[in-house]
Amino acid sequence: MAIDGLIILDATGRPIIQSGFRSSTAAYPLLHIDALNHAIAKSPRPDDVDPVLYVSGASTEGSSACCHVKYGELRFLSPVSGDVDPLYAFAFLQTFVDILHEYFGSISADTLKDNFDVVYQLLEETLDAGGHPLTTSPNALRDIVLPPSLLTKVLSVAGVSGLASPSANSHPFASPIPWRKAGVRYNNNEIYFDVVEALEAIVNKNGTPAVSTVWGRVDCNCKLSGTPDLLLTLSNSHNLNDASFHPCVRLQRWGRDRTLSFVPPDGHFKLMEYRYAPASTTSQHQVSVPFALRVATMNIDENGGTFDLALTSRLTTRPLENVYIDLFLGEGASGASCVVSHNASWNFDPKSLNLHWGIKSLPPSSTFSLRGSFTSSMKTPRPARAFRIRFEIIQHSFSALKIEQLKLTGEMYKPYKGMRGKSTGDVEWRW
Amino acid sequence: MSSFRAPPRKGENFELSADLNSEYREKRKDAIKKVIANMTVGKDVSGLFPDVLKNMQTDDLEQKKLVYLYLMNYAKTQPELVILAVNTFVKDTDDSNPLVRALAIRTMGCLRAEKIIDYLCDPLQKCLRDDNPYVRKTAALCVAKLYDLKPELVVENGFVETLQEMIADSNPMVVANTVAALTDIHIAAVAAGSSQEVFVITPTILNKLLVALNECSEWGRVEILTALARYESPDDRESEHICERVVPQLQHANASVVLGAVKVIMIHMRNVHSENLTKQFIRKMAPPLVTLLSNPPEVQWVALRNINLLLQKRHDILSNEMRVFFCKYNDPLYVKVEKLDIMVRLAGENNVDALLSELKEYASEVDVDFVRRSIKAIGQTAIKIDEAAERCVNVLLELINTRVSYVVQEAVVVMKDIFRKYPSTYEGVIPTLCANLDELDEPEAKASLIWIIGEYANKIDNADELLGIFVDTFTEESYPVQLQTLTAVVKLYLQKPEGSQGLVQSILNTATKDCDSPDVRDRAYIYWRLLSTDPGAAKAVVLSHRPPISLPRTTVAPALLEELLSEIPTLASVYHKPAETFVGRGRIGVDSVQQRNSSELPDDRSATQKALQTVAAGRQAENLLDFDDVSAEDGQQPSGLAATTVLASTPAAANLLSGTSSNPLDDLVSIFGSVSMTPVQPPQPANALGGFGSPVATSPPVGLPAAASPPVQQASSNDLLGLF
């Protein structure tokens, strides 16, 4: 199981950085870049290009495939030849992007170009010339590739580059646990858990959800000394279905009594992911959508249309924040004019042909409305059949997941623990 | 390109060269960075080779790495210069810093220069036994690279044996990399035609792998799972054990680990005879697959393709989860298409209402391609679930009433299939369909409507008028429409001779005289002859009872499905094609597949091999030089496929096909094992591909025709052939 390499393309489809491709001809990566650019140019919508592109005759030995993903304006490519798992390529691309995030904060063509030496070193450390991913755990990587920090810059200006390598370098991978650095020390031992839940729903015309699923994630920021062995007990854990875990979690233990037993990596990491399905009496296991959208009128006339919408929060205690409602007005849409409630805004994006309606904060049980009309160059405009509504709820989780207990063994101190909840939603509301 | 012997006198490279020789350390380092930057964007900096080389001996690890990067890039073109660096490399493998040791050994393995390799063996030997696990795991992968370049060196130095010992290493990362290296060597050895297995998984190794599986990194787990999939367990106890140990991996965060585990379980489950246990494994496999749908669309797509495949084998696994597959408005098209297909697969009496209202919603979307597929899905649902057929027809009627051209046309095509499946049930909708005659401009839709009119000619009062419209424009229509018009008019004439005589006369005239398609002409002649000699026979042929249609449960041949399932997360399972047909690594093709087959295999497995060979044979057909007497057997493989598809259901049929022997395995061998028994036939690659492309054609129930060939066409021409 091995991929052939990695290529990063900028917004115009030109390669910025690519791995060595040492065991193939120079044309091999170029052919893949070309195939992808060609496919994108040919497709009416660039996002509709098959994610695993079949590239014929790229190598002397036969055909290959090109797995590609888009992050921001950049595209990450991974050619594979032979019968390889494309998920392997996608998982590696995702991991590499995460690493770049760790190192540079944001990823853009400019940051990559400015730090190409670091990116190159990262590529070398994470991907073997034979295509095997090597070290991808951020904890271990930091030992071997220095992040571009102020310290290294200062040191390099002062001309003492020899010092720039940390003393820990003399024993990399000395830790018996691959994901955790050895010899971590903190003055304050703290660990924070962020429960982030995302509601994904499709709501039918009559207001009943056709499907609604909550995907949850527990992010963790660990600042604990030594080698702590944690035992985390969650309330409501029986409601969590289909959980998947960071490699540090002992799976057998979860299978036995639904507690999380693990030695955490240092710093930020994703502890677990799950699907929340309430064990309710209804067979559908649906989570209710925290608002209602009433489409009072939605008339399509010749060369335009009128609409009258009202959005009501169904929450009673917390506000819905950063609510964005989008509607694609169809090919040929040329403009819109609307009246919105106080504290809300609207605009029409002539590039994406979307009507945006933004509400910074929707207080509990309140109603906001949008009334207006749009024009189109098409005789019978065909706007999208559904509104897309995104929102956030701070300090809230659909599953009401709580930490019941956190036990620490293996170290003498008592850690401070904190937990936060946050919910987001992405709902499709049909009219 | 400037030669390295004569350094450039001006320009950027000249300045860089000066900087590389600067007395200030920082200036040199910056210069190296610039060189690498230029190298990345494809500028030729090979002329600076000697200057860069001078900077190799340094305490600064970062600088060392950059110089090594440069060397790796240009070693191929300037091998004689790389020799100058060998001493530093060898010295570095003795460095006190394990990072430097690992870096040196890794770089040496990557240089791919013959001259370096001779110096590699001793340091490699040392590094494989290094104290530091990082060095050991790097060295393990280096062995695989060395094998790629000079296999004999690996054998001479006993590196493979060392690697096999290293599977028992205390560090799981080392174990994982060792497994990866051994797998690579194994693949390379097989591709080179080596008969000796390099990486045999013994029960002892198996246990070590299972232990390491829980401890190493995600990438290592994938490697180990791949190795486990290769292991052939001697009894069902061990298979069970492997499955149980692998099941927890389904909860890993990395999608490729999850699908890797699914693959191992699918393979080893074949040996598990306990129905209970099988069910349990299947139940555990379903939720992780659904979880994959929370990932970005690319991963979703791969997951969906694999779910689709799994569902063809086990259609019960996700029966309660259909809602998860509902399409969102802004899903990419490739995801929507897969979701649609899976939804229809999961459709049952209990969820058909939800499915239909969902499909109706999709049919009003903007994306034409998706709308068409949704309408097709409605038709497939109607054919799949008898009880829901009427509801489906009602939905289709509603859609036809929207009067959107492409919706109407697709709905008409779908209605034709419903008429085939449920003859004489929904005649009430015919007037609505006919009312939309003017809207139709696509050949398939036209042909479908004409077929319906012809089929129900005696029930439609103005059938002659309607058909007359098409007869008038006969020569302007496309061939499928012409063929359908011809057949429909003959049907009309046979059912209502009075009043349609002129019509049939004129169309037979036009078709035989003014038509340039031999198919149309020939069919017209046949009809003419039939009608003039024996109207009774004509009736028997043209109005004969048509075999019922059903939805194919699988889109690939059953034997191929087995093979694909054991390939689960790989490209083969994503493309739903065997790997041999699209990735030809070296000589893996007909020959090697045949080699694999030559060993005695269990019954169903060898059937799989055969299906594979057929496809591979078709693939390689263009390479005619390959067809010596070995490939003469390939020519018979179309029949091999036909036999295997039948074999899967009825072994008796295989006996019929292949001869007299009573042992099915013998029959399989006789089909294409011995040239002497059967006459040598010329290769028929077209058939081989055709057989693969439409597995439906080889089995009695005729599948839902998706392409522009309405079923009646096939049926009636088949009947005709039978008559003569």
Side-chain angles (χ1 to χ4, degrees):
Chain A
M1 194 72 71
I3 58 176
D4 290 347
L6 184 144
I7 309 165
I8 305 178
L9 300 185
D10 67 8
T12 58
R14 270 198 309 261
I16 306 174
I17 286 173
Q18 64 185 46
S19 65
F21 290 100
R22 281 181 201 96
S23 49
S24 51
T25 58
Y28 183 72
L30 290 176
L31 276 165
H32 281 89
I33 295 169
D34 201 47
L36 177 67
N37 284 332
H38 189 69
I40 291 173
K42 225 172 55 181
S43 154
R45 276 185 300 178
D47 289 345
D48 279 350
V49 178
D50 272 359
V52 182
L53 210 61
Y54 181 70
V55 183
S56 61
S59 70
T60 46
E61 293 171 334
S63 313
S64 55
C66 170
C67 304
H68 59 97
V69 283
K70 198 175 172 206
Y71 289 101
E73 55 174 1
L74 303 177
R75 273 184 190 274
F76 290 69
L77 270 68
S78 171
V80 293
S81 56
D83 198 13
V84 178
D85 174 3
L87 281 183
Y88 193 69
F90 286 129
F92 177 73
L93 292 178
Q94 180 64 54
T95 312
F96 194 71
V97 170
D98 290 345
I99 292 170
L100 291 180
H101 262 297
E102 277 269 331
Y103 269 76
F104 307 119
S106 69
I107 311 176
S108 69
D110 289 335
T111 41
L112 294 189
K113 275 180 189 157
D114 291 347
N115 295 296
F116 74 92
D117 51 328
V118 180
V119 180
Y120 242 107
Q121 289 183 54
L122 285 174
L123 254 182
E124 280 300 311
E125 289 301 336
T126 49
L127 189 66
D128 169 55
H132 299 287
L134 299 170
T135 320
T136 52
S137 143
N139 268 263
L141 263 181
R142 273 175 190 278
D143 277 353
I144 36 183
V145 180
L146 284 183
S149 67
L150 198 60
L151 177 71
T152 49
K153 269 192 192 132
V154 170
L155 283 174
S156 72
V157 169
V160 276
S161 57
L163 279 178
S165 46
S167 53
N169 255 0
S170 51
H171 288 289
F173 299 90
S175 162
I177 306 160
W179 57 82
R180 189 174 173 86
K181 267 204 283 233
V184 186
R185 282 278 161 265
Y186 287 100
N187 288 332
N188 297 320
N189 290 296
E190 312 165 310
I191 183 162
Y192 297 99
F193 298 95
D194 272 336
V195 178
V196 184
E197 294 189 343
L199 170 76
E200 280 194 20
I202 301 174
V203 182
N204 278 329
K205 278 189 191 78
N206 53 12
T208 54
V211 56
S212 76
T213 323
V214 171
W215 304 102
R217 191 174 85 219
V218 180
D219 288 331
C220 188
N221 185 8
C222 172
K223 292 176 181 173
L224 300 176
S225 313
T227 313
D229 198 333
L230 301 175
L231 184 69
L232 181 69
T233 319
L234 299 168
S235 63
N236 290 341
S237 66
H238 57 277
N239 279 342
L240 309 184
N241 292 13
D242 319 340
S244 61
F245 301 96
H246 188 275
C248 69
V249 176
R250 297 181 180 105
L251 298 170
Q252 265 99 356
R253 185 66 195 265
W254 170 264
R256 204 166 66 226
D257 54 10
R258 298 222 143 200
T259 52
L260 292 161
S261 162
F262 58 100
V263 177
D266 191 45
H268 291 275
F269 68 99
K270 187 162 72 185
L271 180 63
M272 72 182 286
E273 281 183 298
Y274 57 86
R275 184 160 70 122
Y276 165 62
S280 63
T281 46
T282 58
S283 59
Q284 304 299 352
H285 298 297
Q286 303 278 31
V287 183
S288 65
V289 178
F291 62 85
L293 180 73
R294 203 170 59 87
V295 184
T297 47
M298 187 79 198
N299 292 327
I300 308 295
D301 308 325
E302 220 166 272
N303 297 323
T306 55
F307 43 83
D308 183 356
L309 315 169
L311 187 76
T312 309
S313 169
R314 278 182 190 156
L315 291 183
T316 48
T317 50
R318 290 179 202 291
L320 287 166
E321 299 191 31
N322 297 326
V323 186
Y324 295 106
I325 299 110
D326 290 340
L327 178 67
F328 176 64
L329 289 178
E331 293 299 326
S334 50
S337 84
C338 304
V339 180
V340 288
S341 315
H342 187 56
N343 282 340
S345 62
W346 72 273
N347 72 302
F348 171 73
D349 180 357
K351 206 169 145 218
S352 65
L353 303 179
N354 271 333
L355 179 75
H356 299 286
W357 176 20
I359 303 167
K360 201 92 196 98
S361 172
L362 184 67
S365 313
S366 63
T367 301
F368 275 59
S369 66
L370 173 89
R371 213 171 298 134
S373 61
F374 71 95
T375 55
S376 171
S377 58
M378 301 284 273
K379 193 147 187 300
T380 43
R382 305 199 59 190
R385 302 287 300 167
F387 293 92
R388 183 180 180 199
I389 302 158
R390 283 165 295 170
F391 62 87
E392 286 173 16
I393 313 171
I394 311 293
Q395 299 286 329
H396 174 272
S397 68
F398 293 102
S399 63
L401 191 73
K402 290 252 155 47
I403 296 178
E404 220 157 64
Q405 201 183 27
L406 180 71
K407 262 196 224 157
L408 186 147
T409 47
E411 295 289 331
M412 294 310 289
Y413 54 84
K414 195 167 164 50
Y416 173 79
K417 63 175 191 290
M419 186 184 176
R420 259 192 322 198
K422 181 185 169 188
S423 296
T424 62
D426 189 343
V427 177
E428 189 176 306
W429 196 291
R430 292 170 179 163
W431 53 271
Chain B
M1 179 178 150
S2 54
S3 159
F4 56 86
R5 280 173 230 286
R9 303 204 182 281
K10 58 181 175 189
E12 201 186 358
N13 278 5
F14 177 68
E15 280 167 28
L16 281 175
S17 164
D19 283 355
L20 284 170
N21 291 306
S22 157
E23 54 186 310
Y24 301 108
R25 173 186 268 180
E26 268 322 298
K27 210 165 189 180
R28 292 204 301 268
K29 190 169 168 183
D30 274 350
I32 296 172
K33 282 190 184 174
K34 275 187 203 138
V35 170
I36 304 275
N38 285 350
M39 186 177 91
T40 342
V41 293
K43 283 186 196 162
D44 181 21
V45 283
S46 58
L48 298 169
F49 202 97
D51 299 314
V52 176
L53 207 57
K54 281 180 204 153
N55 289 292
M56 191 171 163
Q57 294 201 23
T58 168
D59 298 333
D60 184 346
L61 193 62
E62 202 186 348
Q63 182 178 336
K64 200 172 219 96
K65 272 187 198 167
L66 293 175
V67 174
Y68 278 10
L69 261 177
Y70 178 89
L71 289 183
M72 281 190 263
N73 217 27
Y74 285 112
K76 239 195 252 177
T77 47
Q78 317 217 329
E80 63 277 13
L81 274 180
V82 176
I83 287 300
L84 300 176
V86 160
N87 271 331
T88 318
F89 277 129
V90 175
K91 216 176 86 202
D92 277 356
T93 58
D94 265 335
D95 198 277
S96 61
N97 185 341
L99 279 180
V100 177
R101 295 204 293 275
L103 185 65
I105 203 80
R106 192 171 78 207
T107 314
M108 281 176 91
C110 292
L111 286 177
R112 299 185 75 85
E114 290 270 330
K115 288 178 180 156
I116 285 268
I117 282 174
D118 300 330
Y119 296 89
L120 176 63
C121 292
D122 290 340
L124 187 57
Q125 196 75 265
K126 216 163 38 195
C127 286
L128 281 171
R129 300 177 202 284
D130 201 283
D131 293 337
N132 189 292
Y134 183 64
V135 181
R136 286 204 301 277
K137 86 183 176 97
T138 313
L141 280 181
C142 191
V143 175
K145 283 189 209 108
L146 181 63
Y147 191 90
D148 207 25
L149 292 173
K150 264 196 174 176
E152 58 276 13
L153 272 183
V154 173
V155 178
E156 271 168 35
N157 286 285
F159 285 142
V160 174
E161 286 76 22
T162 318
L163 282 184
Q164 278 167 350
E165 286 163 28
M166 282 167 74
I167 291 182
D169 198 283
S170 60
N171 187 304
M173 291 297 291
V174 178
V175 178
N177 276 18
T178 308
V179 172
L182 280 170
T183 311
D184 274 3
I185 293 175
H186 173 78
I187 292 170
V190 170
S194 159
S195 54
Q196 205 190 343
E197 283 243 11
V198 181
F199 182 26
V200 189
I201 304 173
T202 61
T204 346
I205 294 182
L206 176 75
N207 277 332
K208 286 174 195 159
L209 291 182
L210 286 175
V211 169
L213 181 61
N214 279 325
E215 284 163 16
C216 66
S217 78
E218 45 207 314
W219 315 111
R221 289 181 205 218
V222 177
E223 297 294 352
I224 292 177
L225 287 169
T226 318
L228 286 179
R230 230 159 38 81
Y231 177 71
E232 300 199 9
S233 61
D235 54 40
D236 53 340
R237 283 269 310 285
E238 195 160 58
S239 291
E240 276 171 35
H241 177 66
I242 295 173
C243 287
E244 272 160 14
R245 292 291 292 270
V246 169
V247 159
Q249 301 303 322
L250 292 171
Q251 290 184 315
H252 199 283
N254 186 319
S256 71
V257 176
V258 173
L259 279 184
V262 168
K263 168 185 179 162
V264 174
I265 296 173
M266 284 306 280
I267 287 178
H268 287 285
M269 223 167 53
R270 285 190 197 135
N271 288 338
V272 176
H273 299 301
S274 149
E275 189 58 33
N276 231 345
L277 219 54
T278 314
K279 267 207 185 113
Q280 203 183 322
F281 290 140
I282 292 282
R283 209 170 46 232
K284 283 190 176 148
M285 242 153 40
L289 290 174
V290 173
T291 319
L292 293 182
L293 295 182
S294 67
N295 284 300
E298 299 82 23
V299 178
Q300 277 188 40
W301 182 70
V302 179
L304 287 168
R305 290 292 284 177
N306 283 301
I307 290 174
N308 196 336
L309 211 55
L310 280 172
L311 280 177
Q312 301 192 17
K313 172 82 182 169
R314 298 257 166 196
H315 31 93
D316 49 341
I317 43 175
L318 292 167
S319 46
N320 293 324
E321 303 274 10
M322 191 178 73
R323 282 169 183 275
V324 184
F325 299 101
F326 282 3
C327 302
K328 295 195 95 176
Y329 173 72
N330 48 359
D331 278 339
L333 183 63
Y334 55 83
V335 168
K336 285 183 180 173
V337 168
E338 282 311 311
K339 281 184 172 175
L340 262 188
D341 201 37
I342 290 174
M343 275 159 66
V344 173
R345 266 182 212 295
L346 291 174
E349 243 180 286
N350 54 338
N351 55 16
V352 71
D353 283 325
L355 174 66
L356 278 179
S357 76
E358 201 58 24
L359 290 175
K360 204 170 102 189
E361 196 64 46
Y362 302 157
S364 57
E365 270 192 25
V366 188
D367 186 339
V368 178
D369 197 15
F370 181 56
V371 168
R372 285 177 182 275
R373 285 170 194 270
S374 310
I375 298 173
K376 275 209 179 79
I378 298 177
Q380 288 166 346
T381 315
I383 289 162
K384 188 175 173 198
I385 308 163
D386 293 1
E387 292 80 4
E390 190 170 348
R391 277 170 274 173
C392 296
V393 171
N394 288 337
V395 171
L396 286 172
L397 281 179
E398 276 177 56
L399 291 174
I400 289 174
N401 285 334
T402 61
R403 301 228 150 216
V404 179
S405 169
Y406 55 87
V407 174
V408 173
Q409 312 218 28
E410 197 64 47
V412 168
V413 175
V414 164
M415 278 309 297
K416 171 224 22 180
D417 292 327
I418 296 180
F419 275 116
R420 272 216 71 185
K421 166 87 184 189
Y422 309 104
S424 321
T425 316
Y426 300 108
E427 284 152 16
V429 306
I430 293 177
T432 322
L433 296 181
C434 294
N436 287 290
L437 195 69
D438 304 335
E439 307 256 348
L440 308 182
D441 52 13
E442 290 163 22
E444 200 189 348
K446 274 188 190 175
S448 301
L449 186 60
I450 295 169
W451 180 82
I452 294 173
I453 297 174
E455 194 73 352
Y456 295 93
N458 54 346
K459 310 252 171 72
I460 306 171
D461 296 336
N462 59 344
D464 48 344
E465 261 173 59
L466 294 170
L467 289 176
I469 301 171
F470 293 103
V471 174
D472 291 343
T473 56
F474 189 75
T475 45
E476 293 151 32
E477 302 288 356
S478 61
Y479 300 137
V481 178
Q482 290 185 351
L483 285 169
Q484 280 314 318
T485 315
L486 186 59
T487 310
V489 170
V490 173
K491 279 181 190 164
L492 170 72
Y493 172 70
L494 288 170
Q495 291 176 55
K496 287 199 285 190
E498 66 286 354
S500 51
Q501 190 128 28
L503 203 61
V504 87
Q505 199 57 254
S506 94
I507 196 165
L508 288 177
N509 252 328
T510 324
T512 46
K513 295 212 173 70
D514 301 334
C515 188
D516 45 5
S517 157
D519 275 353
V520 179
R521 246 185 357 246
D522 288 355
R523 193 185 283 192
Y525 275 125
I526 290 167
Y527 282 145
W528 204 333
R529 202 66 59 83
L530 265 173
L531 291 172
S532 56
T533 51
D534 186 357
K539 245 181 196 169
V541 170
V542 180
L543 302 178
S544 69
H545 180 71
R546 262 158 284 280
I549 57 169
S550 65
L551 209 57
R553 277 250 290 277
T554 57
T555 53
V556 292
L560 188 60
L561 179 62
E562 271 304 316
E563 171 77 20
L564 291 180
L565 282 171
S566 55
E567 297 278 330
I568 246 183
T570 63
L571 280 176
S573 72
V574 170
Y575 285 139
H576 293 190
K577 282 178 189 167
E580 283 80 353
T581 59
F582 59 90
V583 277
R585 275 243 171 172
R587 303 276 304 155
I588 297 181
V590 188
D591 307 354
S592 55
V593 181
Q594 229 153 21
Q595 267 175 16
R596 272 206 277 160
N597 187 50
S598 59
S599 58
E600 288 269 317
L601 283 168
D603 210 9
D604 57 331
R605 293 284 291 282
S606 74
T608 309
Q609 303 281 349
K610 215 149 301 167
L612 258 177
Q613 270 178 327
T614 317
V615 182
R619 247 325 258 206
Q620 302 262 321
E622 60 264 46
N623 187 359
L624 284 172
L625 289 176
D626 250 336
F627 282 102
D628 44 19
D629 55 350
V630 181
S631 60
E633 299 161 24
D634 302 333
Q636 300 159 21
Q637 281 165 19
S639 68
L641 176 66
T644 44
T645 38
V646 178
L647 182 83
S649 49
T650 52
N655 284 349
L656 270 176
L657 270 169
S658 56
T660 52
S661 169
S662 57
N663 182 352
L665 198 62
D666 289 349
D667 294 336
L668 287 172
V669 175
S670 72
I671 287 176
F672 62 124
S674 57
V675 188
S676 58
M677 268 177 69
T678 40
V680 178
Q681 293 170 10
Q684 296 171 318
N687 276 2
L689 271 180
F692 169 60
S694 57
V696 176
T698 57
S699 51
V702 178
L704 192 66
S709 66
V712 60
Q713 204 174 305
Q714 226 176 355
S716 59
S717 54
N718 283 349
D719 294 341
L720 284 170
L721 283 174
L723 194 80
F724 290 108

